[in-house]
Amino acid sequence: MKRKNTRWLVLTVCGLFLAVNGAQAQFGDLLNKASKAVTSKAAKSFGVDKLLKEPEAISTSFEDVNRKGEERPSFHNDATYKPLDQLTKNGADGFVLAAGHFEMTAKSYCLKAGTYAPSSGDGYMYAPTEGKKKDIVIAILKSAEKHPEVEQTDIQMLLWTIIARTKFIDYSGPVKETALKLLTPQQILQLENGALGILPFDIVEKAKGEMPAFMRTIFEAENNIRQLVSSGNYSYAEFEQYAILAGMAEVRSDVPSGVWTLHPDGYYVRYFPSGFSRTKVQVYVPEELIATKGNKPLVYDATNDVACPANTGSQRLAITNEKAE
């Protein structure tokens, strides 16, 4: 059965890519309908215990932050910052760092549906991207740099569907188009692994009854996103309504806004979000660090970086190498 379902999926993805050029659209639609029937049948037999144990697409949290070497907001607070985006690019892997202080307001993305938008007092610290779909998320952020014609809102909707563990076979509308543009066929196949179908009402209600309140909110948001993208009739505002909670999370006084993280590569980094779509990033590179590198470049590549809020009720943010408009 597993080999049969995989065969269906491979045929579907190939059909979808051909459909972009027009000739195979009807064939792709037929495969979609057939595969959705298989998905719906499987969902009804999905046990709640298994559902609750499914790994997160992106699991990075504040617990993954290494606070050793952190510095208070006053650290180098009187420094003059140069534009980060004017440093030499290291191909597709970010910027080659030099000694000194650098900053850039970068495009950023919400990586946690059902949470509060960042507030001015939130402390954010660096952690690496972790989770079952980390390679896909990083690939999207890198691919987006090559496709400036793709709107940031379209990329955000795609990321929300991945965080919600949506099966690609359930994609429709603009989000599907964005996925086909930014991901390879092989990467799209990876979206199916560990993803959830459209869950029946009774499964959803039973699962919610076994969750603590904060998990229930996130689970509901993700399920609503899966249903929304499958409908094909949606707007960014509707996605945002499910993904972003109204109000603000409580601020943790022990991790203030502007706290510095000592990056594993030896430089310091801190974040100042403006909502979830724009984040000012500041980097401090000690002279002695550059001296130890010799001829080996020290590269800042934000596509593997997550800005994690100390308050877990706020949104964790994917940071990019792209300057915000």
Side-chain angles (χ1 to χ4, degrees):
M1 178 62 73
K2 186 174 182 180
R3 289 183 60 187
K4 185 176 180 181
N5 288 344
T6 301
R7 184 185 173 196
W8 269 109
L9 184 56
V10 171
L11 290 172
T12 302
V13 173
C14 290
L16 286 169
F17 271 86
L18 290 171
V20 172
N21 294 321
Q24 301 293 324
Q26 291 182 341
F27 183 60
D29 287 342
L30 289 172
L31 290 174
N32 271 331
K33 290 176 182 178
S35 296
K36 281 184 179 182
V38 173
T39 300
S40 178
K41 184 177 180 180
K44 291 180 180 179
S45 61
F46 206 108
V48 172
D49 289 343
K50 183 180 178 183
L51 178 64
L52 297 176
K53 292 177 182 177
E54 279 295 296
E56 288 186 273
I58 297 297
S59 60
T60 305
S61 70
F62 197 72
E63 293 180 356
D64 298 308
V65 173
N66 183 351
R67 300 186 64 179
K68 185 177 180 179
E70 72 175 72
E71 295 288 350
R72 296 289 88 186
S74 58
F75 181 65
H76 284 243
N77 212 32
D78 57 350
T80 299
Y81 289 82
K82 300 174 184 177
L84 177 64
D85 57 297
Q86 290 184 13
L87 291 172
T88 302
K89 291 294 290 289
N90 188 54
D93 296 326
F95 303 95
V96 178
L97 291 172
H101 301 79
F102 304 91
E103 69 179 9
M104 178 177 73
T105 299
K107 290 181 180 179
S108 54
Y109 295 92
C110 169
L111 289 180
K112 191 75 170 178
T115 50
Y116 295 99
S119 67
S120 59
D122 280 337
Y124 276 76
M125 299 186 73
Y126 160 85
T129 308
E130 300 291 351
K132 197 162 187 177
K133 294 295 185 290
K134 68 176 184 179
D135 292 340
I136 296 296
V137 168
I138 292 171
I140 288 170
L141 300 180
K142 286 187 177 296
S143 183
E145 294 183 50
K146 304 172 188 176
H147 291 277
E149 77 281 3
V150 180
E151 297 290 338
Q152 185 175 0
T153 51
D154 290 330
I155 297 170
Q156 179 63 82
M157 287 192 292
L158 173 59
L159 289 173
W160 275 329
T161 63
I162 292 171
I163 300 308
R165 295 171 288 177
T166 309
K167 285 183 175 292
F168 181 73
I169 207 67
D170 291 328
Y171 280 31
S172 61
V175 173
K176 178 188 283 187
E177 296 174 12
T178 303
L180 292 170
K181 185 168 290 188
L182 297 183
L183 295 171
T184 66
Q186 293 77 14
Q187 289 167 338
I188 284 177
L189 287 176
Q190 292 177 39
L191 291 179
E192 297 295 306
N193 186 22
L196 299 177
I198 306 302
L199 300 176
F201 178 79
D202 57 334
I203 294 291
V204 171
E205 291 302 303
K206 187 175 180 181
K208 283 164 54 179
E210 298 181 18
M211 295 177 179
F214 77 95
M215 286 183 60
R216 193 180 308 129
T217 300
I218 294 170
F219 177 74
E220 285 184 304
E222 291 180 351
N223 194 55
N224 287 332
I225 286 171
R226 290 194 296 272
Q227 291 177 332
L228 190 61
V229 72
S230 70
S231 72
N233 182 23
Y234 50 78
S235 66
Y236 176 77
E238 289 174 300
F239 266 86
E240 194 174 40
Q241 179 182 356
Y242 291 133
I244 314 301
L245 296 181
M248 292 188 300
E250 293 183 10
V251 174
R252 274 181 56 172
S253 59
D254 61 318
V255 185
S257 175
V259 63
W260 290 91
T261 308
L262 177 59
H263 192 277
D265 289 340
Y267 58 84
Y268 292 84
V269 62
R270 65 176 174 178
Y271 308 101
F272 296 95
S274 297
F276 59 85
S277 60
R278 295 165 56 94
T279 299
K280 183 166 76 172
V281 180
Q282 292 187 331
V283 176
Y284 164 55
V285 185
E287 289 186 15
E288 56 269 26
L289 176 62
I290 297 298
T292 64
K293 290 295 181 179
N295 295 326
K296 185 178 180 181
L298 176 65
V299 178
Y300 170 79
D301 183 1
T303 57
N304 189 37
D305 295 5
V306 176
C308 294
N311 189 318
T312 56
S314 295
Q315 293 162 358
R316 60 193 177 194
L317 304 173
I319 308 299
T320 73
N321 297 324
E322 293 188 85
K323 186 177 181 180
E325 298 176 358

PDB file of all heavy atoms in Angstrom, residues 40 43-46 197-205 223:
ATOM      1  N   SER A  40      -8.224  11.093   2.712  1.00  0.00           N
ATOM      2  CA  SER A  40      -9.379  11.203   3.593  1.00  0.00           C
ATOM      3  C   SER A  40      -9.647   9.884   4.315  1.00  0.00           C
ATOM      4  O   SER A  40      -9.941   9.866   5.502  1.00  0.00           O
ATOM      5  CB  SER A  40     -10.608  11.606   2.769  1.00  0.00           C
ATOM      6  OG  SER A  40     -11.742  11.669   3.583  1.00  0.00           O
ATOM      7  N   ALA A  43      -7.066   9.397   7.034  1.00  0.00           N
ATOM      8  CA  ALA A  43      -7.236  10.311   8.170  1.00  0.00           C
ATOM      9  C   ALA A  43      -8.232   9.760   9.181  1.00  0.00           C
ATOM     10  O   ALA A  43      -8.066   9.936  10.387  1.00  0.00           O
ATOM     11  CB  ALA A  43      -7.697  11.678   7.675  1.00  0.00           C
ATOM     12  N   LYS A  44      -9.256   9.066   8.702  1.00  0.00           N
ATOM     13  CA  LYS A  44     -10.278   8.542   9.606  1.00  0.00           C
ATOM     14  C   LYS A  44      -9.737   7.453  10.526  1.00  0.00           C
ATOM     15  O   LYS A  44     -10.269   7.228  11.605  1.00  0.00           O
ATOM     16  CB  LYS A  44     -11.468   8.019   8.787  1.00  0.00           C
ATOM     17  CG  LYS A  44     -12.253   9.141   8.113  1.00  0.00           C
ATOM     18  CD  LYS A  44     -13.425   8.600   7.318  1.00  0.00           C
ATOM     19  CE  LYS A  44     -14.192   9.746   6.644  1.00  0.00           C
ATOM     20  NZ  LYS A  44     -15.329   9.245   5.841  1.00  0.00           N
ATOM     21  N   SER A  45      -8.664   6.802  10.074  1.00  0.00           N
ATOM     22  CA  SER A  45      -8.083   5.745  10.905  1.00  0.00           C
ATOM     23  C   SER A  45      -6.886   6.260  11.716  1.00  0.00           C
ATOM     24  O   SER A  45      -6.197   5.495  12.351  1.00  0.00           O
ATOM     25  CB  SER A  45      -7.639   4.578  10.013  1.00  0.00           C
ATOM     26  OG  SER A  45      -6.652   5.002   9.103  1.00  0.00           O
ATOM     27  N   PHE A  46      -6.652   7.548  11.656  1.00  0.00           N
ATOM     28  CA  PHE A  46      -5.511   8.157  12.337  1.00  0.00           C
ATOM     29  C   PHE A  46      -5.805   8.229  13.828  1.00  0.00           C
ATOM     30  O   PHE A  46      -6.692   8.923  14.267  1.00  0.00           O
ATOM     31  CB  PHE A  46      -5.291   9.570  11.773  1.00  0.00           C
ATOM     32  CG  PHE A  46      -3.880  10.046  11.895  1.00  0.00           C
ATOM     33  CD1 PHE A  46      -3.086  10.147  10.772  1.00  0.00           C
ATOM     34  CD2 PHE A  46      -3.341  10.400  13.116  1.00  0.00           C
ATOM     35  CE1 PHE A  46      -1.785  10.593  10.866  1.00  0.00           C
ATOM     36  CE2 PHE A  46      -2.048  10.842  13.220  1.00  0.00           C
ATOM     37  CZ  PHE A  46      -1.259  10.937  12.092  1.00  0.00           C
ATOM     38  N   GLY A 197      -3.361  15.061   6.681  1.00  0.00           N
ATOM     39  CA  GLY A 197      -4.422  15.367   5.753  1.00  0.00           C
ATOM     40  C   GLY A 197      -5.470  16.254   6.419  1.00  0.00           C
ATOM     41  O   GLY A 197      -5.276  16.769   7.515  1.00  0.00           O
ATOM     42  N   ILE A 198      -6.581  16.463   5.740  1.00  0.00           N
ATOM     43  CA  ILE A 198      -7.703  17.202   6.329  1.00  0.00           C
ATOM     44  C   ILE A 198      -8.363  16.266   7.331  1.00  0.00           C
ATOM     45  O   ILE A 198      -8.972  15.264   6.965  1.00  0.00           O
ATOM     46  CB  ILE A 198      -8.712  17.637   5.246  1.00  0.00           C
ATOM     47  CG1 ILE A 198      -7.995  18.422   4.136  1.00  0.00           C
ATOM     48  CG2 ILE A 198      -9.814  18.472   5.880  1.00  0.00           C
ATOM     49  CD1 ILE A 198      -7.265  19.657   4.619  1.00  0.00           C
ATOM     50  N   LEU A 199      -8.240  16.582   8.604  1.00  0.00           N
ATOM     51  CA  LEU A 199      -8.709  15.677   9.657  1.00  0.00           C
ATOM     52  C   LEU A 199     -10.216  15.777   9.854  1.00  0.00           C
ATOM     53  O   LEU A 199     -10.776  16.881   9.863  1.00  0.00           O
ATOM     54  CB  LEU A 199      -7.999  16.000  10.973  1.00  0.00           C
ATOM     55  CG  LEU A 199      -6.468  15.869  10.951  1.00  0.00           C
ATOM     56  CD1 LEU A 199      -5.883  16.311  12.288  1.00  0.00           C
ATOM     57  CD2 LEU A 199      -6.056  14.439  10.636  1.00  0.00           C
ATOM     58  N   PRO A 200     -10.886  14.654  10.046  1.00  0.00           N
ATOM     59  CA  PRO A 200     -12.333  14.658  10.306  1.00  0.00           C
ATOM     60  C   PRO A 200     -12.647  15.384  11.615  1.00  0.00           C
ATOM     61  O   PRO A 200     -11.814  15.439  12.533  1.00  0.00           O
ATOM     62  CB  PRO A 200     -12.676  13.165  10.413  1.00  0.00           C
ATOM     63  CG  PRO A 200     -11.565  12.453   9.718  1.00  0.00           C
ATOM     64  CD  PRO A 200     -10.343  13.285   9.943  1.00  0.00           C
ATOM     65  N   PHE A 201     -13.868  15.894  11.716  1.00  0.00           N
ATOM     66  CA  PHE A 201     -14.277  16.686  12.873  1.00  0.00           C
ATOM     67  C   PHE A 201     -14.127  15.912  14.171  1.00  0.00           C
ATOM     68  O   PHE A 201     -13.660  16.453  15.186  1.00  0.00           O
ATOM     69  CB  PHE A 201     -15.736  17.133  12.686  1.00  0.00           C
ATOM     70  CG  PHE A 201     -16.281  17.914  13.860  1.00  0.00           C
ATOM     71  CD1 PHE A 201     -15.969  19.253  14.018  1.00  0.00           C
ATOM     72  CD2 PHE A 201     -17.097  17.301  14.811  1.00  0.00           C
ATOM     73  CE1 PHE A 201     -16.458  19.978  15.099  1.00  0.00           C
ATOM     74  CE2 PHE A 201     -17.595  18.013  15.894  1.00  0.00           C
ATOM     75  CZ  PHE A 201     -17.268  19.352  16.030  1.00  0.00           C
ATOM     76  N   ASP A 202     -14.516  14.627  14.177  1.00  0.00           N
ATOM     77  CA  ASP A 202     -14.465  13.868  15.425  1.00  0.00           C
ATOM     78  C   ASP A 202     -13.029  13.654  15.905  1.00  0.00           C
ATOM     79  O   ASP A 202     -12.752  13.684  17.111  1.00  0.00           O
ATOM     80  CB  ASP A 202     -15.191  12.525  15.264  1.00  0.00           C
ATOM     81  CG  ASP A 202     -14.633  11.686  14.119  1.00  0.00           C
ATOM     82  OD1 ASP A 202     -14.069  12.277  13.176  1.00  0.00           O
ATOM     83  OD2 ASP A 202     -14.763  10.449  14.165  1.00  0.00           O
ATOM     84  N   ILE A 203     -12.085  13.470  14.964  1.00  0.00           N
ATOM     85  CA  ILE A 203     -10.680  13.322  15.326  1.00  0.00           C
ATOM     86  C   ILE A 203     -10.143  14.625  15.921  1.00  0.00           C
ATOM     87  O   ILE A 203      -9.432  14.626  16.931  1.00  0.00           O
ATOM     88  CB  ILE A 203      -9.840  12.916  14.106  1.00  0.00           C
ATOM     89  CG1 ILE A 203     -10.234  11.526  13.626  1.00  0.00           C
ATOM     90  CG2 ILE A 203      -8.344  12.979  14.411  1.00  0.00           C
ATOM     91  CD1 ILE A 203      -9.850  10.413  14.572  1.00  0.00           C
ATOM     92  N   VAL A 204     -10.511  15.740  15.295  1.00  0.00           N
ATOM     93  CA  VAL A 204     -10.071  17.052  15.778  1.00  0.00           C
ATOM     94  C   VAL A 204     -10.571  17.304  17.195  1.00  0.00           C
ATOM     95  O   VAL A 204      -9.806  17.716  18.084  1.00  0.00           O
ATOM     96  CB  VAL A 204     -10.553  18.173  14.831  1.00  0.00           C
ATOM     97  CG1 VAL A 204     -10.285  19.547  15.441  1.00  0.00           C
ATOM     98  CG2 VAL A 204      -9.871  18.060  13.476  1.00  0.00           C
ATOM     99  N   GLU A 205     -11.847  17.061  17.424  1.00  0.00           N
ATOM    100  CA  GLU A 205     -12.429  17.321  18.741  1.00  0.00           C
ATOM    101  C   GLU A 205     -11.832  16.410  19.815  1.00  0.00           C
ATOM    102  O   GLU A 205     -11.568  16.846  20.939  1.00  0.00           O
ATOM    103  CB  GLU A 205     -13.954  17.140  18.684  1.00  0.00           C
ATOM    104  CG  GLU A 205     -14.665  18.200  17.868  1.00  0.00           C
ATOM    105  CD  GLU A 205     -14.397  19.606  18.392  1.00  0.00           C
ATOM    106  OE1 GLU A 205     -14.670  19.866  19.580  1.00  0.00           O
ATOM    107  OE2 GLU A 205     -13.873  20.430  17.620  1.00  0.00           O
ATOM    108  N   ASN A 223      -4.946  23.334  11.921  1.00  0.00           N
ATOM    109  CA  ASN A 223      -6.013  22.616  11.223  1.00  0.00           C
ATOM    110  C   ASN A 223      -6.822  23.565  10.336  1.00  0.00           C
ATOM    111  O   ASN A 223      -7.200  23.210   9.213  1.00  0.00           O
ATOM    112  CB  ASN A 223      -6.927  21.928  12.235  1.00  0.00           C
ATOM    113  CG  ASN A 223      -7.834  20.899  11.583  1.00  0.00           C
ATOM    114  OD1 ASN A 223      -7.369  19.987  10.904  1.00  0.00           O
ATOM    115  ND2 ASN A 223      -9.136  21.047  11.763  1.00  0.00           N
TER     116      ASN A 223
END
